[in-house]
Amino acid sequence: MSVDALLRELAAKYETPSFIEGDPSWWMHQVSGAANQEATAFVAQALAYGSRAQFMPKIGWLLDRAGGDMDRWVRSGAFKADIPAGSSACYYRLYTVADVNAFLESYRRLLDGYGTLGAYVGSATGIEAVDAITRWFGETAPVPKDTSSACKRVCMFLRWMVRDGSPVDLGLWARQIDRRTLIMPMDTHVLQQSVRLGLLSSRTASMAAAQRLTARLAQIFPDDPLKGDFALFGEGVSAG
């Protein structure tokens, strides 16, 4: 079987409701209302790195404190009672409680000024959307400071928001961003699978490498390159 045919088969196999179990996208499916789903997804992606067994409870704790309404919790500033600005205690790995507070405060200011993150981003291409998000949050952990890195989590969040007709992704921003312009969420796992399959020769997970991989996946899935995200996940499961 050719690599292209394999990836098409794997994408169809893994882009199913069962993919959500244990994935950070699970959280946005546990709440209702577009603004709340968007806010829950954005906060979830910010902490979605490292071991799922470690970061999933950290996301869950925040949603519990929000009473299931992440949008209201952030927008109202209620998070400040639970996530104090002056605390140097570790919240998750590299991030202190104060880091999380600064992130949520930056997000609160965005919501206050624009209404929603989607309204702030507006009509854009995938790379323009990544750039807009990183520019707003600047040096605020846990968002990349610019697009020099692969920005894996932001690209994953954009997949959730833009791709429609999927049992996994929400498609809330489908009308403002063309899914064909999205950039593949790239981490070490995706990079290794891509090199093993001959999709890439790069050894570094950078934005340039993510864009090259996306261009290759667009040859396989012309209307929806990020179906390849599910395919490479499935290839990793099969290889593991």
Side-chain angles (χ1 to χ4, degrees):
M1 181 184 297
S2 71
V3 169
D4 290 20
L6 173 65
L7 293 182
R8 290 190 191 99
E9 180 180 287
L10 289 170
K13 179 179 179 180
Y14 285 95
E15 190 179 5
T16 65
S18 63
F19 178 91
I20 297 169
E21 293 298 320
D23 189 72
S25 62
W26 185 83
W27 298 105
M28 66 192 188
H29 290 278
Q30 307 313 304
V31 300
S32 59
N36 192 25
Q37 287 183 306
E38 178 183 298
T40 300
F42 189 62
V43 171
Q45 66 79 30
L47 295 174
Y49 76 102
S51 164
R52 288 184 175 190
Q54 292 181 321
F55 72 66
M56 289 292 279
K58 294 298 184 180
I59 299 168
W61 188 86
L62 293 178
L63 191 57
D64 284 345
R65 299 311 300 168
D69 193 339
M70 189 69 74
D71 179 68
R72 178 205 57 80
W73 190 60
V74 175
R75 189 184 301 273
S76 68
F79 65 87
K80 297 174 185 179
D82 302 300
I83 310 290
S87 176
S88 61
C90 176
Y91 185 75
Y92 176 57
R93 297 185 67 172
L94 300 176
Y95 305 136
T96 65
V97 172
D99 289 332
V100 178
N101 174 280
F103 163 66
L104 294 174
E105 173 58 21
S106 187
Y107 190 20
R108 185 199 65 76
R109 288 189 287 104
L110 184 149
L111 294 177
D112 186 53
Y114 292 89
T116 65
L117 182 55
Y120 163 70
V121 171
S123 296
T125 64
I127 189 62
E128 288 169 346
V130 175
D131 180 65
I133 291 170
T134 57
R135 274 190 292 107
W136 178 273
F137 288 90
E139 300 290 336
T140 304
V143 179
K145 63 181 181 178
D146 54 42
T147 58
S148 59
S149 70
C151 298
K152 185 256 185 179
R153 286 170 289 156
V154 175
C155 291
M156 177 180 67
F157 168 74
L158 290 172
R159 195 201 83 205
W160 296 345
M161 292 297 102
V162 174
R163 291 185 70 252
D164 56 357
S166 170
V168 179
D169 300 328
L170 296 177
L172 299 178
W173 299 0
R175 293 186 177 182
Q176 65 190 75
I177 297 176
D178 188 333
R179 66 185 182 183
R180 292 172 296 182
T181 71
L182 293 174
I183 299 165
M184 181 71 180
M186 176 175 282
D187 56 14
T188 301
H189 164 76
V190 168
L191 179 67
Q192 290 173 343
Q193 295 301 329
S194 300
V195 170
R196 191 173 71 81
L197 290 169
L199 300 171
L200 274 181
S201 59
S202 175
R203 298 291 175 175
T204 303
S206 64
M207 179 58 73
Q211 290 176 309
R212 287 195 298 273
L213 176 58
T214 305
R216 176 66 181 90
L217 291 172
Q219 296 174 357
I220 306 171
F221 308 102
D223 186 52
D224 190 7
L226 263 57
K227 282 190 78 70
D229 201 4
F230 299 95
L232 289 173
F233 169 83
E235 174 62 12
V237 171
S238 300

Short mmCIF file of all heavy atoms in Angstrom, two decimals, residues 36-86:
data_model
loop_
_atom_site.label_atom_id
_atom_site.label_comp_id
_atom_site.label_asym_id
_atom_site.label_seq_id
_atom_site.Cartn_x
_atom_site.Cartn_y
_atom_site.Cartn_z
N ASN A 36 -18.66 29.33 25.23
CA ASN A 36 -18.10 28.50 26.30
C ASN A 36 -17.24 27.38 25.72
O ASN A 36 -16.17 27.04 26.27
CB ASN A 36 -19.22 27.92 27.16
CG ASN A 36 -18.70 27.30 28.45
OD1 ASN A 36 -17.64 27.64 28.94
ND2 ASN A 36 -19.47 26.37 28.98
N GLN A 37 -17.66 26.79 24.61
CA GLN A 37 -16.84 25.77 23.96
C GLN A 37 -15.51 26.35 23.48
O GLN A 37 -14.46 25.74 23.64
CB GLN A 37 -17.61 25.14 22.79
CG GLN A 37 -18.72 24.21 23.21
CD GLN A 37 -19.39 23.57 22.01
OE1 GLN A 37 -19.83 24.24 21.08
NE2 GLN A 37 -19.46 22.24 22.02
N GLU A 38 -15.59 27.54 22.90
CA GLU A 38 -14.38 28.20 22.42
C GLU A 38 -13.42 28.48 23.58
O GLU A 38 -12.22 28.19 23.50
CB GLU A 38 -14.75 29.51 21.72
CG GLU A 38 -13.57 30.32 21.21
CD GLU A 38 -14.00 31.63 20.59
OE1 GLU A 38 -14.74 31.62 19.58
OE2 GLU A 38 -13.60 32.70 21.13
N ALA A 39 -13.94 29.03 24.67
CA ALA A 39 -13.10 29.35 25.82
C ALA A 39 -12.53 28.09 26.47
O ALA A 39 -11.34 28.05 26.84
CB ALA A 39 -13.90 30.16 26.84
N THR A 40 -13.35 27.07 26.60
CA THR A 40 -12.89 25.81 27.18
C THR A 40 -11.79 25.20 26.33
O THR A 40 -10.77 24.73 26.84
CB THR A 40 -14.06 24.83 27.32
OG1 THR A 40 -15.05 25.39 28.18
CG2 THR A 40 -13.60 23.49 27.90
N ALA A 41 -11.97 25.23 25.02
CA ALA A 41 -10.97 24.68 24.10
C ALA A 41 -9.67 25.46 24.19
O ALA A 41 -8.58 24.88 24.21
CB ALA A 41 -11.50 24.71 22.67
N PHE A 42 -9.76 26.79 24.28
CA PHE A 42 -8.55 27.59 24.30
C PHE A 42 -7.76 27.37 25.59
O PHE A 42 -6.53 27.25 25.56
CB PHE A 42 -8.88 29.08 24.12
CG PHE A 42 -7.65 29.92 23.91
CD1 PHE A 42 -6.83 29.72 22.81
CD2 PHE A 42 -7.31 30.90 24.83
CE1 PHE A 42 -5.68 30.48 22.63
CE2 PHE A 42 -6.17 31.67 24.65
CZ PHE A 42 -5.35 31.46 23.54
N VAL A 43 -8.44 27.31 26.70
CA VAL A 43 -7.75 27.04 27.97
C VAL A 43 -7.19 25.62 27.98
O VAL A 43 -6.07 25.39 28.44
CB VAL A 43 -8.70 27.27 29.16
CG1 VAL A 43 -8.06 26.80 30.47
CG2 VAL A 43 -9.06 28.77 29.26
N ALA A 44 -7.93 24.68 27.43
CA ALA A 44 -7.46 23.29 27.39
C ALA A 44 -6.18 23.16 26.58
O ALA A 44 -5.23 22.49 27.00
CB ALA A 44 -8.55 22.38 26.83
N GLN A 45 -6.13 23.80 25.40
CA GLN A 45 -4.93 23.67 24.57
C GLN A 45 -3.70 24.24 25.24
O GLN A 45 -2.59 23.76 25.03
CB GLN A 45 -5.15 24.32 23.19
CG GLN A 45 -5.31 25.83 23.18
CD GLN A 45 -4.03 26.63 23.30
OE1 GLN A 45 -2.97 26.19 22.87
NE2 GLN A 45 -4.14 27.81 23.90
N ALA A 46 -3.90 25.26 26.07
CA ALA A 46 -2.76 25.92 26.70
C ALA A 46 -1.97 24.98 27.62
O ALA A 46 -0.76 25.14 27.79
CB ALA A 46 -3.23 27.14 27.48
N LEU A 47 -2.66 24.01 28.20
CA LEU A 47 -2.00 23.09 29.14
C LEU A 47 -1.80 21.70 28.55
O LEU A 47 -1.29 20.80 29.23
CB LEU A 47 -2.84 22.96 30.42
CG LEU A 47 -2.96 24.25 31.25
CD1 LEU A 47 -3.92 24.03 32.40
CD2 LEU A 47 -1.61 24.71 31.76
N ALA A 48 -2.14 21.52 27.27
CA ALA A 48 -2.11 20.19 26.66
C ALA A 48 -0.72 19.84 26.12
O ALA A 48 -0.51 19.78 24.91
CB ALA A 48 -3.16 20.09 25.56
N TYR A 49 0.21 19.62 27.02
CA TYR A 49 1.53 19.15 26.61
C TYR A 49 2.06 18.22 27.70
O TYR A 49 1.63 18.28 28.85
CB TYR A 49 2.49 20.33 26.38
CG TYR A 49 3.01 20.99 27.62
CD1 TYR A 49 4.31 20.74 28.08
CD2 TYR A 49 2.23 21.86 28.36
CE1 TYR A 49 4.79 21.33 29.22
CE2 TYR A 49 2.71 22.47 29.51
CZ TYR A 49 4.00 22.20 29.93
OH TYR A 49 4.48 22.80 31.08
N GLY A 50 2.99 17.36 27.31
CA GLY A 50 3.49 16.37 28.25
C GLY A 50 2.57 15.16 28.31
O GLY A 50 1.92 14.80 27.32
N SER A 51 2.46 14.57 29.47
CA SER A 51 1.67 13.36 29.66
C SER A 51 0.18 13.68 29.81
O SER A 51 -0.20 14.54 30.61
CB SER A 51 2.15 12.62 30.91
OG SER A 51 1.21 11.67 31.34
N ARG A 52 -0.64 12.99 29.04
CA ARG A 52 -2.09 13.18 29.18
C ARG A 52 -2.55 12.89 30.60
O ARG A 52 -3.44 13.56 31.13
CB ARG A 52 -2.84 12.29 28.20
CG ARG A 52 -2.74 12.71 26.74
CD ARG A 52 -3.60 11.83 25.85
NE ARG A 52 -3.61 12.29 24.46
CZ ARG A 52 -4.42 11.82 23.53
NH1 ARG A 52 -5.29 10.86 23.83
NH2 ARG A 52 -4.37 12.29 22.30
N ALA A 53 -1.96 11.89 31.22
CA ALA A 53 -2.33 11.54 32.58
C ALA A 53 -2.08 12.68 33.55
O ALA A 53 -2.75 12.79 34.59
CB ALA A 53 -1.56 10.30 33.03
N GLN A 54 -1.13 13.56 33.22
CA GLN A 54 -0.83 14.69 34.08
C GLN A 54 -1.61 15.94 33.70
O GLN A 54 -2.13 16.64 34.57
CB GLN A 54 0.68 14.99 34.02
CG GLN A 54 1.53 13.91 34.65
CD GLN A 54 3.01 14.25 34.60
OE1 GLN A 54 3.51 14.79 33.61
NE2 GLN A 54 3.73 13.94 35.66
N PHE A 55 -1.71 16.25 32.38
CA PHE A 55 -2.35 17.52 32.04
C PHE A 55 -3.87 17.46 32.03
O PHE A 55 -4.54 18.48 32.26
CB PHE A 55 -1.81 18.12 30.74
CG PHE A 55 -2.18 17.45 29.44
CD1 PHE A 55 -3.49 17.42 28.97
CD2 PHE A 55 -1.20 16.89 28.63
CE1 PHE A 55 -3.82 16.83 27.75
CE2 PHE A 55 -1.51 16.30 27.41
CZ PHE A 55 -2.84 16.28 26.97
N MET A 56 -4.47 16.30 31.77
CA MET A 56 -5.94 16.25 31.74
C MET A 56 -6.55 16.64 33.10
O MET A 56 -7.52 17.43 33.13
CB MET A 56 -6.41 14.87 31.29
CG MET A 56 -6.17 14.58 29.80
SD MET A 56 -7.16 15.59 28.67
CE MET A 56 -8.73 14.70 28.71
N PRO A 57 -6.04 16.17 34.23
CA PRO A 57 -6.60 16.62 35.51
C PRO A 57 -6.40 18.11 35.77
O PRO A 57 -7.24 18.74 36.42
CB PRO A 57 -5.83 15.77 36.55
CG PRO A 57 -5.37 14.57 35.79
CD PRO A 57 -5.06 15.07 34.42
N LYS A 58 -5.32 18.68 35.27
CA LYS A 58 -5.08 20.11 35.46
C LYS A 58 -6.10 20.95 34.70
O LYS A 58 -6.57 21.98 35.19
CB LYS A 58 -3.65 20.47 35.01
CG LYS A 58 -2.56 19.85 35.87
CD LYS A 58 -2.64 20.34 37.31
CE LYS A 58 -1.50 19.81 38.14
NZ LYS A 58 -1.56 20.29 39.55
N ILE A 59 -6.44 20.50 33.49
CA ILE A 59 -7.50 21.18 32.73
C ILE A 59 -8.83 20.99 33.44
O ILE A 59 -9.62 21.93 33.59
CB ILE A 59 -7.57 20.63 31.29
CG1 ILE A 59 -6.25 20.88 30.55
CG2 ILE A 59 -8.75 21.25 30.54
CD1 ILE A 59 -6.13 20.13 29.24
N GLY A 60 -9.08 19.78 33.88
CA GLY A 60 -10.33 19.47 34.56
C GLY A 60 -10.54 20.29 35.82
O GLY A 60 -11.66 20.73 36.11
N TRP A 61 -9.47 20.54 36.56
CA TRP A 61 -9.58 21.33 37.79
C TRP A 61 -10.04 22.74 37.46
O TRP A 61 -10.90 23.31 38.14
CB TRP A 61 -8.24 21.36 38.52
CG TRP A 61 -8.33 22.00 39.88
CD1 TRP A 61 -8.68 21.39 41.05
CD2 TRP A 61 -8.10 23.38 40.20
NE1 TRP A 61 -8.67 22.30 42.09
CE2 TRP A 61 -8.31 23.53 41.60
CE3 TRP A 61 -7.73 24.50 39.46
CZ2 TRP A 61 -8.17 24.76 42.26
CZ3 TRP A 61 -7.58 25.72 40.11
CH2 TRP A 61 -7.79 25.85 41.49
N LEU A 62 -9.46 23.33 36.41
CA LEU A 62 -9.86 24.68 36.01
C LEU A 62 -11.34 24.72 35.60
O LEU A 62 -12.07 25.64 35.99
CB LEU A 62 -8.99 25.18 34.85
CG LEU A 62 -7.51 25.42 35.16
CD1 LEU A 62 -6.78 25.85 33.89
CD2 LEU A 62 -7.32 26.46 36.26
N LEU A 63 -11.78 23.72 34.84
CA LEU A 63 -13.17 23.70 34.41
C LEU A 63 -14.10 23.49 35.61
O LEU A 63 -15.20 24.08 35.67
CB LEU A 63 -13.40 22.61 33.36
CG LEU A 63 -14.75 22.64 32.64
CD1 LEU A 63 -14.99 23.98 31.95
CD2 LEU A 63 -14.85 21.51 31.63
N ASP A 64 -13.66 22.70 36.58
CA ASP A 64 -14.45 22.52 37.81
C ASP A 64 -14.60 23.84 38.55
O ASP A 64 -15.69 24.19 39.02
CB ASP A 64 -13.80 21.48 38.72
CG ASP A 64 -14.01 20.06 38.25
OD1 ASP A 64 -14.89 19.84 37.40
OD2 ASP A 64 -13.28 19.17 38.73
N ARG A 65 -13.49 24.58 38.69
CA ARG A 65 -13.53 25.87 39.38
C ARG A 65 -14.43 26.85 38.63
O ARG A 65 -15.05 27.73 39.23
CB ARG A 65 -12.12 26.46 39.53
CG ARG A 65 -11.16 25.60 40.34
CD ARG A 65 -11.73 25.14 41.66
NE ARG A 65 -12.09 26.25 42.53
CZ ARG A 65 -12.82 26.14 43.63
NH1 ARG A 65 -13.30 24.95 43.99
NH2 ARG A 65 -13.08 27.19 44.37
N ALA A 66 -14.47 26.68 37.30
CA ALA A 66 -15.31 27.55 36.48
C ALA A 66 -16.78 27.15 36.54
O ALA A 66 -17.63 27.83 35.95
CB ALA A 66 -14.83 27.53 35.03
N GLY A 67 -17.08 26.06 37.22
CA GLY A 67 -18.46 25.59 37.28
C GLY A 67 -19.00 25.18 35.93
O GLY A 67 -20.21 25.27 35.67
N GLY A 68 -18.10 24.75 35.03
CA GLY A 68 -18.51 24.32 33.70
C GLY A 68 -18.72 25.46 32.72
O GLY A 68 -19.09 25.23 31.58
N ASP A 69 -18.45 26.70 33.16
CA ASP A 69 -18.64 27.86 32.28
C ASP A 69 -17.33 28.64 32.22
O ASP A 69 -17.15 29.66 32.89
CB ASP A 69 -19.78 28.75 32.78
CG ASP A 69 -20.22 29.78 31.74
OD1 ASP A 69 -19.43 30.08 30.82
OD2 ASP A 69 -21.35 30.29 31.86
N MET A 70 -16.41 28.16 31.41
CA MET A 70 -15.08 28.77 31.31
C MET A 70 -15.17 30.20 30.79
O MET A 70 -14.43 31.09 31.24
CB MET A 70 -14.19 27.93 30.39
CG MET A 70 -12.73 28.35 30.38
SD MET A 70 -11.89 28.02 31.95
CE MET A 70 -11.71 26.22 31.84
N ASP A 71 -16.06 30.43 29.84
CA ASP A 71 -16.20 31.78 29.28
C ASP A 71 -16.58 32.78 30.37
O ASP A 71 -15.96 33.84 30.49
CB ASP A 71 -17.25 31.77 28.17
CG ASP A 71 -17.46 33.14 27.56
OD1 ASP A 71 -16.54 33.64 26.89
OD2 ASP A 71 -18.55 33.72 27.76
N ARG A 72 -17.57 32.47 31.16
CA ARG A 72 -18.02 33.37 32.24
C ARG A 72 -16.93 33.56 33.28
O ARG A 72 -16.68 34.67 33.75
CB ARG A 72 -19.29 32.82 32.90
CG ARG A 72 -19.80 33.67 34.06
CD ARG A 72 -20.62 32.85 35.05
NE ARG A 72 -19.86 31.73 35.58
CZ ARG A 72 -18.96 31.85 36.57
NH1 ARG A 72 -18.69 33.03 37.11
NH2 ARG A 72 -18.32 30.78 37.00
N TRP A 73 -16.28 32.45 33.65
CA TRP A 73 -15.25 32.47 34.70
C TRP A 73 -14.10 33.39 34.34
O TRP A 73 -13.63 34.18 35.14
CB TRP A 73 -14.76 31.04 34.91
CG TRP A 73 -13.88 30.78 36.08
CD1 TRP A 73 -14.19 30.97 37.40
CD2 TRP A 73 -12.56 30.22 36.06
NE1 TRP A 73 -13.15 30.56 38.19
CE2 TRP A 73 -12.14 30.09 37.39
CE3 TRP A 73 -11.72 29.81 35.03
CZ2 TRP A 73 -10.89 29.58 37.74
CZ3 TRP A 73 -10.49 29.29 35.36
CH2 TRP A 73 -10.07 29.18 36.69
N VAL A 74 -13.66 33.29 33.06
CA VAL A 74 -12.56 34.14 32.61
C VAL A 74 -13.04 35.57 32.41
O VAL A 74 -12.44 36.53 32.89
CB VAL A 74 -11.94 33.59 31.30
CG1 VAL A 74 -10.87 34.56 30.77
CG2 VAL A 74 -11.33 32.21 31.54
N ARG A 75 -14.15 35.73 31.70
CA ARG A 75 -14.66 37.05 31.34
C ARG A 75 -14.94 37.92 32.58
O ARG A 75 -14.69 39.13 32.59
CB ARG A 75 -15.93 36.88 30.51
CG ARG A 75 -16.47 38.15 29.88
CD ARG A 75 -17.79 37.85 29.18
NE ARG A 75 -17.65 36.82 28.15
CZ ARG A 75 -17.31 37.08 26.89
NH1 ARG A 75 -17.07 38.31 26.50
NH2 ARG A 75 -17.21 36.09 26.01
N SER A 76 -15.47 37.28 33.63
CA SER A 76 -15.84 38.02 34.84
C SER A 76 -14.66 38.29 35.76
O SER A 76 -14.77 39.09 36.70
CB SER A 76 -16.89 37.22 35.62
OG SER A 76 -16.31 36.02 36.14
N GLY A 77 -13.54 37.62 35.50
CA GLY A 77 -12.39 37.75 36.40
C GLY A 77 -12.50 36.89 37.63
O GLY A 77 -11.65 36.98 38.54
N ALA A 78 -13.50 36.02 37.69
CA ALA A 78 -13.70 35.16 38.86
C ALA A 78 -12.53 34.22 39.09
O ALA A 78 -12.30 33.75 40.21
CB ALA A 78 -15.00 34.36 38.71
N PHE A 79 -11.75 33.96 38.04
CA PHE A 79 -10.60 33.06 38.17
C PHE A 79 -9.58 33.56 39.18
O PHE A 79 -8.78 32.78 39.73
CB PHE A 79 -9.92 32.88 36.81
CG PHE A 79 -9.30 34.12 36.25
CD1 PHE A 79 -8.00 34.48 36.59
CD2 PHE A 79 -10.01 34.95 35.40
CE1 PHE A 79 -7.42 35.63 36.08
CE2 PHE A 79 -9.44 36.11 34.88
CZ PHE A 79 -8.15 36.46 35.23
N LYS A 80 -9.56 34.87 39.44
CA LYS A 80 -8.54 35.45 40.33
C LYS A 80 -8.63 34.92 41.75
O LYS A 80 -7.62 34.86 42.46
CB LYS A 80 -8.66 36.98 40.32
CG LYS A 80 -8.40 37.60 38.96
CD LYS A 80 -8.67 39.10 38.96
CE LYS A 80 -8.52 39.68 37.56
NZ LYS A 80 -8.81 41.14 37.54
N ALA A 81 -9.81 34.50 42.15
CA ALA A 81 -9.97 33.94 43.50
C ALA A 81 -9.36 32.56 43.61
O ALA A 81 -8.89 32.16 44.69
CB ALA A 81 -11.46 33.87 43.86
N ASP A 82 -9.34 31.83 42.52
CA ASP A 82 -8.82 30.46 42.51
C ASP A 82 -7.37 30.39 42.04
O ASP A 82 -6.63 29.47 42.42
CB ASP A 82 -9.67 29.58 41.60
CG ASP A 82 -11.14 29.56 42.01
OD1 ASP A 82 -11.41 29.15 43.15
OD2 ASP A 82 -11.99 29.96 41.20
N ILE A 83 -6.97 31.35 41.21
CA ILE A 83 -5.63 31.37 40.62
C ILE A 83 -5.00 32.72 40.97
O ILE A 83 -4.99 33.65 40.16
CB ILE A 83 -5.70 31.19 39.08
CG1 ILE A 83 -6.56 30.00 38.69
CG2 ILE A 83 -4.30 31.05 38.48
CD1 ILE A 83 -5.94 28.65 39.02
N PRO A 84 -4.47 32.86 42.18
CA PRO A 84 -3.96 34.17 42.61
C PRO A 84 -2.69 34.61 41.87
O PRO A 84 -1.81 33.81 41.58
CB PRO A 84 -3.67 33.97 44.11
CG PRO A 84 -3.52 32.48 44.27
CD PRO A 84 -4.41 31.85 43.25
N ALA A 85 -2.63 35.91 41.59
CA ALA A 85 -1.53 36.46 40.80
C ALA A 85 -0.18 36.34 41.50
O ALA A 85 0.85 36.21 40.84
CB ALA A 85 -1.83 37.93 40.48
N GLY A 86 -0.16 36.39 42.80
CA GLY A 86 1.11 36.42 43.50
C GLY A 86 1.69 35.06 43.87
O GLY A 86 2.74 35.00 44.52
#
